[in-house]
């Protein structure tokens, strides 16, 4: 096996090669951004950018670039375009929050923990599913009841009533822990029972630390309620793979989260 005679020039100038470079950039950059800055950017944007890179590579492969071996120049405009695109993605996540929409008035009794649990418990139970015998979840974690994982070993068994009581207790704990990440303004004026239940379900699924430090929570605290609800949908992976069940669950949580939003007058 040997390389083509002008491989160095092709690596530097060929459109198809630059499509590969951009594809790798769009795959790895969201992970790097999250690890470095804690910003969980919108995966849909990267999906679109990756698709564009592939299409660009297909077209570039068919173009006659008349690559000259004596000239090793990179198409700098492509790198510049990539920088602009990435900058736009980052800007979309650190932009000034949109004005907070006016919440529809709710009776005080509806903001109580019991009202939230009335929505959250059946929501989580339906998505997690009941298993009274321990099993391995999609990423290999021993799980029982409604997604309970703490201290679970294969072979463990619990009754349906025990699972129901465990779910109720855990959801209350997750809700209370997540509220530590919310500002007083969020707790007093932005959390309807539906929105509270959506974030509680989210935290139960991804963990309190993940939910509390997410863009969804940061946007909600900043007053961008709709943006926070939309950011819930970004958490749709398990074991590094997009899971259809998580996509659907996040969509329902987003819809619940958006309930009660009015328009500013």
């Amino acid at each position: 096996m040997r390389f083509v005679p002008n491989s160095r020039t092709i690596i530097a100038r060929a459109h198809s090669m630059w499509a590969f470079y951009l594809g790798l950039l769009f795959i790895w950059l969201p992970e790097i951004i999250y690890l470095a800055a804690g910003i969980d950017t919108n995966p849909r944007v990267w999906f679109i950018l990756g698709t564009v890179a592939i299409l660009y590579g297909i077209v570039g492969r068919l173009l006659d670039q008349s690559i000259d071996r004596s000239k090793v120049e990179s198409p700098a405009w492509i790198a510049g375009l990539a920088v602009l695109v990435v900058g736009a993605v980052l800007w979309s996540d650190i932009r000034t929050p949109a004005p907070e929409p006016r919440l529809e008035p709710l009776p005080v009794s509806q903001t109580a923990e019991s009202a939230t649990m009335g929505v959250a418990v059946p929501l989580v139970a339906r998505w997690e599913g009941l298993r009274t015998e321990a099993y391995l979840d999609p990423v290999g974690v021993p799980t029982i009841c409604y997604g309970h994982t703490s201290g679970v070993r294969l072979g463990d068994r619990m009754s349906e009533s025990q699972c129901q009581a465990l779910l109720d207790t855990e959801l209350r704990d997750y809700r209370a822990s997540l509220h530590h990440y919310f500002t007083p303004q969020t707790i007093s004026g932005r959390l309807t029972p539906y929105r509270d239940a959506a974030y509680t379900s989210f935290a139960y699924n991804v963990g309190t630390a993940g939910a509390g430090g997410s863009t969804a929570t940061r946007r909600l605290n900043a007053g961008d309620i709709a943006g926070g609800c939309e950011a819930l949908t970004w958490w749709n992976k398990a074991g590094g793979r997009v899971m259809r069940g998580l996509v659907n669950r996040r969509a329902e949580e987003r819809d619940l989260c958006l309930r009660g939003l009015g328009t500013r007058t």
Side-chain angles (χ1 to χ4, degrees):
M1 182 182 70
R2 62 179 182 177
F3 292 112
V4 295
N6 60 341
S7 59
R8 185 164 171 262
T9 305
I10 291 174
I11 289 173
R13 297 190 59 213
H15 287 303
S16 55
M17 293 300 298
W18 276 86
F20 292 143
Y21 305 151
L22 291 175
L24 287 173
L25 177 70
F26 298 148
I27 289 173
W28 283 101
L29 199 56
E31 300 298 327
I32 294 173
I33 292 171
Y34 180 78
L35 292 174
I39 299 175
D40 44 342
T41 52
N42 191 338
R44 294 177 183 173
V45 174
W46 299 109
F47 170 78
I48 294 172
L49 292 176
T51 302
V52 171
I54 292 173
L55 294 175
Y56 163 56
I58 293 173
V59 174
R61 187 68 181 85
L62 300 176
L63 291 176
D64 181 5
Q65 293 183 251
S66 301
I67 294 178
D68 186 348
R69 298 185 195 180
S70 64
K71 296 177 63 178
V72 183
E73 299 176 357
S74 301
W77 66 270
I78 298 177
L81 178 61
V83 171
L84 289 176
V85 169
V86 171
V89 172
L90 292 177
W91 176 252
S92 70
D93 283 290
I94 60 176
R95 68 189 189 283
T96 302
E100 179 182 351
R102 178 176 57 84
L103 293 177
E104 294 179 356
L106 292 168
V108 174
S109 60
Q110 287 189 325
T111 64
E113 180 185 57
S114 59
T116 296
M117 289 299 102
V119 179
V121 170
L123 170 68
V124 173
R126 179 159 46 82
W127 280 111
E128 294 289 347
L130 174 62
R131 298 281 291 273
T132 56
E133 184 174 350
Y135 65 98
L136 295 178
D137 73 0
V139 293
V141 178
T143 307
I144 198 170
C145 292
Y146 296 101
H148 177 72
T149 58
S150 179
V152 177
R153 295 180 298 179
L154 293 180
D156 290 349
R157 294 175 180 271
M158 297 185 73
S159 68
E160 184 174 346
S161 60
Q162 287 175 318
C163 289
Q164 190 67 39
L166 179 61
L167 176 62
D168 186 80
T169 299
E170 286 196 312
L171 282 179
R172 292 177 189 274
D173 291 342
Y174 271 90
R175 176 181 179 270
S177 296
L178 183 61
H179 277 215
H180 290 300
Y181 290 89
F182 291 145
T183 63
Q185 293 81 3
T186 291
I187 293 175
S188 64
R190 299 172 188 143
L191 283 182
T192 66
Y194 289 116
R195 191 164 301 123
D196 200 5
Y199 272 83
T200 299
S201 172
F202 174 52
Y204 186 79
N205 186 224
V206 307
T208 303
S214 69
T215 298
T217 296
R218 291 199 301 271
R219 286 182 175 180
L220 181 62
N221 282 335
D224 184 5
I225 297 178
C229 295
E230 182 62 31
L232 293 173
T233 64
W234 302 355
W235 292 68
N236 58 9
K237 293 181 180 179
R241 296 179 294 129
V242 174
M243 307 292 287
R244 179 57 54 185
L246 289 178
V247 171
N248 294 336
R249 177 172 180 168
R250 294 288 98 84
E252 182 170 357
E253 289 168 350
R254 175 198 58 202
D255 292 344
L256 273 178
C257 183
L258 290 171
R259 283 197 188 185
L261 280 182
T263 56
R264 183 177 291 276
T265 57

